[in-house]
Amino acid sequence: MSVQIWRNLENLILVAGHAIYISENSDNPQADSNWILQPFQTGEPPFYIEHIQCGVELASRDAQALLVFSGGQTRHEAHTKSEAESYLRLAEHFNWWEKVDLKGRATTEEYARDSFENLLFSICRFRQCVGKYPQHITIISWAFKARRFELHREAIGFPLSQFTFIGANNPVDLASAEQNEQSVTAAFSTDPYGYGESKENNLLGDKRRARNPFNRAHPYAETCPELAGLLTHRKTGLYAGELPWSAQKSLQT
C-alpha cells in the first residue's frame, strides 16, 4: 500500500549499496572496522558515504523525488542488518547533511543482491510507496559502473530520456575494479537479467546465491503485478512482455 504523503512524487533517486555498516553507536563510520567488507573493499567506506551524500543532495533539489537506498541482507556476519538500512542510518548520523526535511522522502529497498536488482527492485519499491512507477530514475554508484547500469536499463526497457546515471566517485584501485568490471559487463551482456539456469561457472548466479545467506525472497511479483512477468523472467533473451513505463499513470493500491 502506498504512503499517502508520497502520492504526488514522480521521480526515483536510487543509491546502490555496496557493503553493510555494523557499528551500533555510529562511531567513526569511515573506519573499515565498522563495516563488513570483502578484501577488495578495504579503504572504501568514505567513498560509500560520498554516495549517500550525493543521493541526499540530489533528492533535496527535487521536491518530487523519493530517495531509495537499495541493498539486501547480503552478509551472514551482519545478521539481519542490510546494506540499505545501514546507509539510511548513516544519512541520519550525518544529520542528512543539513537536509533534515529529506528524511520524510527517504526509504529502503532491502532485497537487492546485485546492481540489476538494485535498479529493478527499487522501481518496485517506488511502486509500493507511491502507487505508480517513476517518471525519471537517477542512479548513484561507482563511476566505473556506468556501462553496467546502461545494460540494466536496456534489459528492462526503461526510456533513455528518463534515466540518469551519476558516477559519484571511483575506488582507489580503479585498474583492478575496471578489470573485474569487464567480466561482469560481459556476463550481463549475454545474460541481461542474471538468471541463467546454469549452476556451474555462473558468475552472476553464484554471486546472487552468495549474497542471500538467509534465503530471503522478495515480494515484488505480488506487490507490483504489472512487473510480475519481468520479475519471473528466467531466460537470457530480452523480455518481450508489456511493461508499464509508457503508461506512467497512477495505480490503485
Side-chain angles (χ1 to χ4, degrees):
M1 181 177 292
S2 63
V3 178
Q4 187 63 35
I5 60 173
W6 289 342
R7 296 285 288 184
N8 293 326
L9 300 183
E10 300 287 345
N11 305 320
L12 165 62
I13 295 179
L14 159 62
V15 178
H18 298 288
I20 300 175
Y21 179 66
I22 58 171
S23 176
E24 295 295 340
N25 57 14
S26 296
D27 179 43
N28 193 11
Q30 292 87 355
D32 286 2
S33 59
N34 286 327
W35 294 74
I36 300 293
L37 300 172
Q38 300 280 8
F40 67 86
Q41 294 177 310
T42 299
E44 291 187 354
F47 296 95
Y48 306 152
I49 294 169
E50 288 179 12
H51 295 184
I52 299 167
Q53 183 176 9
C54 181
V56 169
E57 293 289 342
L58 289 173
S60 72
R61 298 179 210 151
D62 182 357
Q64 292 188 306
L66 180 69
L67 176 61
V68 176
F69 297 108
S70 173
Q73 297 175 5
T74 55
R75 298 295 297 273
H76 185 271
E77 308 95 304
H79 304 292
T80 58
K81 289 185 174 67
S82 70
E83 295 173 4
E85 180 268 338
S86 64
Y87 276 35
L88 181 65
R89 283 199 300 118
L90 283 168
E92 292 173 346
H93 168 75
F94 286 100
N95 199 33
W96 299 87
W97 289 274
E98 301 183 354
K99 310 293 192 301
V100 181
D101 290 346
L102 180 61
K103 66 182 180 180
R105 287 190 286 114
T107 189
T108 59
E109 186 293 303
E110 300 189 60
Y111 290 93
R113 299 167 293 176
D114 62 15
S115 55
F116 176 76
E117 291 186 344
N118 285 142
L119 174 57
L120 182 56
F121 290 2
S122 291
I123 292 172
C124 293
R125 181 63 177 146
F126 188 97
R127 162 70 170 91
Q128 287 181 322
C129 292
V130 181
K132 58 189 173 185
Y133 292 98
Q135 289 280 352
H136 191 280
I137 298 172
T138 300
I139 296 176
I140 296 98
S141 187
W142 293 115
F144 74 85
K145 291 189 176 181
R147 174 56 183 159
R148 185 198 299 202
F149 277 102
E150 174 58 19
L151 289 173
H152 298 338
R153 182 199 65 78
E154 293 174 353
I156 67 170
F158 200 84
L160 176 59
S161 62
Q162 296 166 233
F163 185 89
T164 302
F165 174 81
I166 303 292
N169 49 34
N170 273 318
V172 173
D173 190 358
L174 179 58
S176 294
E178 289 180 330
Q179 183 176 10
N180 179 70
E181 186 66 4
Q182 290 179 3
S183 299
V184 176
T185 54
F188 274 118
S189 294
T190 58
D191 185 10
Y193 307 101
Y195 288 126
E197 294 299 330
S198 173
K199 301 299 183 183
E200 296 181 2
N201 299 318
N202 184 339
L203 173 65
L204 304 178
D206 289 346
K207 282 186 175 181
R208 280 190 184 156
R209 284 185 284 275
R211 291 172 180 171
N212 190 19
F214 305 107
N215 295 315
R216 301 176 76 223
H218 69 77
Y220 300 128
E222 294 183 5
T223 61
C224 305
E226 307 83 10
L227 293 181
L230 178 60
L231 287 161
T232 57
H233 184 69
R234 294 294 183 270
K235 298 180 181 179
T236 55
L238 291 179
Y239 178 69
E242 184 177 353
L243 293 168
W245 319 135
S246 59
Q248 300 294 353
K249 60 185 179 181
S250 182
L251 301 163
Q252 296 297 320
T253 57

